[in-house]
Each structure stands twice: as structure tokens, then as C-alpha cells.
Amino acid sequence: RDPLWSRGLGDVYKRQITALFLIARPQCYFFAIVVFKTKKSSILNSKSSNNSIPAETAKLLRLATYASVSVAVFLIFLKLIAWGRSDSVSLLATLVDSILDAFASIINLIAVRHALTPADKEHRFGHGKAEALAGLSQSLFIAGSSVFLLLEAAQTFFNPTEIENAFAGIAVMGVSIVATLILISFQHYVIRKTQSVAIRADALHFKSDILVNVAVILALWLSTIGMNLFDPIIGGLIACYILYCAWGIVRLSLDQLMDHELGDEVRANIKKVVLSHAQAQGMHDLRTRHSGSMTFIQFHLEIEDDLTLIQAHNASDEIEEMLLQTYPGSEIIIHIDPKSVIGKETVATFE
């Protein structure tokens, strides 16, 4: 018989597999529907769209998702071996977290692929919100893992087990930290270039993995000096921290799904760029949002009454080009208003 099963860990495996299935099943159904509808829409609407994502951005997003899945799978194998040798609940905690990382990263990969699909007849603003949906999906994975780990920590606290081969586990955690740091560094580069919420969410829970792995090393070291009780305690604290990270991912995703405005600093910079043009006499009703890697900017441009239509059009195009240099790949809509009508029309204000 397998020594893991002889130590009574079969039930742990069963609970772990059941939990993963229950968490993953509804999300797999959901993304299967998203994939089918997007593919169907792309087939029916083969004409290309103007608001497509730049090739460099698309390439970076794909590379980030491939790297995330690869690192997660690599860490699963390492941690599975280490947990099998040590029987540590803290190691089990980080193993389950890596399994969920792999599931979440695969969903990210699917979501990013479809977010990069060009706009079509049925989705004229593109498919960028698939990234935000992936972020929400990740939060469900992470929250589910937290509940599972809390239950395992509680059981081990009242029924403690002896940890074996702790130093092998410490070595594995060290390798995990190095691999995760390399991945996070690349993800941060991609986030700076693309502002992707899916990659930001992925990076967020990989950041939590760093602290998780450090905590596991501490728990394993304490076990070597006979303080096994700290193993389930640290495992429980890890679970609570993961749950906290899940809430951060939910907030990021909901901001995009609910068309949250860009930050005050970005809005101020947009106004600065627009008003630097010689023909711009003012602007109002600025509205901004993110959808995946796309930024949407729209506003009313105030110009002199005596400009011809072609002059006003050229000024609008020049301002649009100036904004695109600052925010590449953005979708920009400019409505032109003669200066004399300002104050006579009803204008939405959110100040």
C-alpha cells in the first residue's frame, strides 16, 4: 500500500479532490458558454474592427498566461512530493493553493484569449470584460481554497500529526519562492504595459504565495524543534490571508464590470493633454473606463464658433492622436461643441 494512504491521508485526498471539483465545475460550465458564444460570434462576424488590441500587448498577455500556467504546474509537482514526505498541513495548504493557482491560471489563459478577440457585430466594444469575469472566477477558486484549508487546519489542530522530512519541505519552499518571484517580476512588466485586470489578479494571488511559502518554511522549522502545534495555526493564518486576497481580486474585477472611472491622476493628465492643443478652448463631460486591456475615453471638446467644420474635425483628430501617444490602443470618442452653446445645454456633472 502507498505509505500516504497507510497514514490515513486517503480522506484528505478525497476531500481535496471533491472541493476542487465543486469549486471548478460551475466556472468550467460558465467559460464553456463564453467560449462557445464568442466563437459563434466570431464566425458570424468575420469583418475586422478598428478597436483591436495592439499586437505587442496581445503577445505580452499570452506570454504571461503561459508562464503562469507553467510555473503553477511545476510548483504542484514539487509541493506534492514534499507534502508526501512530510505530512505537514502547512505544506498541504500551499499545495492546494498551487493547484488552485493552476486552475485559475488556465481560466485566465482562456479568458485572455477571448478578451483579445477583435470586436464584432454582436460585441462592438470588444470582449475585454472576459478578463474581469476571469478575475471573479479566480476569487471563487481562492475563497474556496481558504475554506478548505481552514477546515484542514482545524482538524489537524485537534488531531495533530508528526511532521517528517521537514528540511526537504523547506528546500522545496525555497525553490517555490524563487520561481514565483521570477513569474511576478514578468507579470508586473506585463501589467505596466497592458493594465490587464486578469494578469493583475493572477499576480495578486501569486504575491500571496510568497508570504504563504515563507510562513510554511517557518512552520516546518518550528516542527524540527518540537513545536508541531504551530503547523495548523500557520496553515489557518495562511487560509485567512488568501481569503483577504480574494476580496482584493473581487474589487478589481467589479471595478471593470461596473465601468469604474480611471483614477484622478489619469483624468487630470487627459485634460492636460487635450487643453494643450491650440484650438481647445475647454472640455467637459469626461468619461473613462477600462475593459480588459482597452481604455475608453470620451468627452466634449469646446472650440471657437468661427472654425469651419473641416478645421474642427482636424483639431479633433489631432487631439485624438495626442491622446493615443499617451494611452496607446485606446478607444477615443470626441464630441465637438461650439463655445457659444456652453452653459445653454444640460451637461452631466459628477463633481
Side-chain angles (χ1 to χ4, degrees):
R1 294 174 64 189
D2 190 315
L4 290 175
W5 291 90
S6 66
R7 291 205 301 268
L9 296 179
D11 290 338
V12 173
Y13 275 120
K14 292 175 185 176
R15 288 195 298 275
Q16 185 174 348
I17 293 170
T18 301
L20 289 171
F21 177 74
L22 290 174
I23 297 168
R25 183 173 61 178
Q27 296 171 83
C28 290
Y29 288 161
F30 172 76
F31 273 95
I33 293 171
V34 171
V35 169
F36 173 75
K37 286 184 72 62
T38 304
K39 286 290 185 184
K40 180 181 177 183
S41 177
S42 297
I43 292 171
L44 292 175
N45 306 283
S46 58
K47 292 183 180 180
S48 62
S49 170
N50 288 332
N51 66 334
S52 57
I53 295 172
E56 182 184 358
T57 298
K59 181 180 179 181
L60 284 174
L61 288 172
R62 290 191 182 98
L63 284 175
T65 56
Y66 297 152
S68 178
V69 172
S70 300
V71 170
V73 171
F74 170 69
L75 294 181
I76 286 170
F77 282 109
L78 273 183
K79 293 175 182 180
L80 184 62
I81 294 171
W83 175 59
R85 291 178 176 273
S86 67
D87 194 19
S88 162
V89 73
S90 292
L91 260 175
L92 174 62
T94 187
L95 170 61
V96 173
D97 189 44
S98 289
I99 293 172
L100 292 167
D101 284 348
F103 273 103
S105 295
I106 290 170
I107 286 180
N108 244 10
L109 190 152
I110 296 170
V112 167
R113 282 176 62 90
H114 289 284
L116 294 175
T117 305
D120 52 45
K121 185 177 179 181
E122 294 181 359
H123 308 90
R124 302 193 183 197
F125 287 99
H127 304 84
K129 288 190 177 181
E131 288 194 34
L133 291 173
L136 280 178
S137 182
Q138 285 197 53
S139 69
L140 291 178
F141 271 127
I142 296 171
S145 72
S146 300
V147 173
F148 170 73
L149 294 178
L150 282 171
L151 293 174
E152 283 300 320
Q155 182 180 6
T156 306
F157 182 82
F158 293 107
N159 301 286
T161 57
E162 184 178 352
I163 297 176
E164 302 173 0
N165 297 315
F167 289 108
I170 291 173
V172 167
M173 289 300 97
V175 174
S176 299
I177 289 173
V178 173
T180 306
L181 282 172
I182 293 172
L183 174 63
I184 290 173
S185 297
F186 178 61
Q187 286 177 325
H188 272 258
Y189 171 75
V190 174
I191 291 167
R192 286 197 302 271
K193 293 289 185 179
T194 67
Q195 299 300 313
S196 167
V197 71
I199 305 302
R200 191 186 299 273
D202 214 27
L204 183 61
H205 68 75
F206 273 108
K207 281 181 187 177
S208 72
D209 287 353
I210 299 292
L211 294 179
V212 167
N213 292 336
V214 171
V216 170
I217 288 174
L218 176 61
L220 292 172
W221 177 75
L222 289 171
S223 71
T224 63
I225 57 177
M227 303 178 72
N228 289 345
L229 191 61
F230 279 92
D231 182 47
I233 292 174
I234 290 177
L237 292 174
I238 290 171
C240 292
Y241 182 75
I242 293 173
L243 192 60
Y244 171 77
C245 289
W247 171 241
I249 295 173
V250 168
R251 290 181 60 187
L252 281 172
S253 302
L254 288 178
D255 278 352
Q256 283 210 8
L257 290 173
M258 299 301 293
D259 293 333
H260 192 279
E261 277 290 319
L262 303 187
D264 291 340
E265 183 178 343
V266 175
R267 288 173 53 84
N269 190 55
I270 291 172
K271 292 177 181 179
K272 180 180 178 182
V273 171
V274 172
L275 297 177
S276 66
H277 191 277
Q279 303 293 348
Q281 300 299 306
M283 64 179 294
H284 60 270
D285 202 11
L286 172 62
R287 304 186 187 205
T288 60
R289 65 185 177 94
H290 269 314
S291 180
S293 298
M294 288 289 294
T295 299
F296 291 85
I297 303 170
Q298 66 181 64
F299 58 90
H300 288 222
L301 175 65
E302 302 167 13
I303 60 171
E304 294 289 354
D305 293 23
D306 57 0
L307 289 183
T308 64
L309 180 59
I310 191 64
Q311 288 174 325
H313 173 78
N314 289 340
S316 174
D317 281 353
E318 290 167 5
I319 290 172
E320 181 178 352
E321 185 59 34
M322 291 164 61
L323 287 170
L324 286 172
Q325 290 177 6
T326 308
Y327 305 101
S330 297
E331 181 81 2
I332 301 169
I333 301 174
I334 303 175
H335 175 83
I336 298 174
D337 280 336
K339 194 173 180 181
S340 62
V341 306
I342 306 304
K344 297 179 181 179
E345 295 181 338
T346 302
V347 178
T349 177
F350 305 96
E351 301 302 330

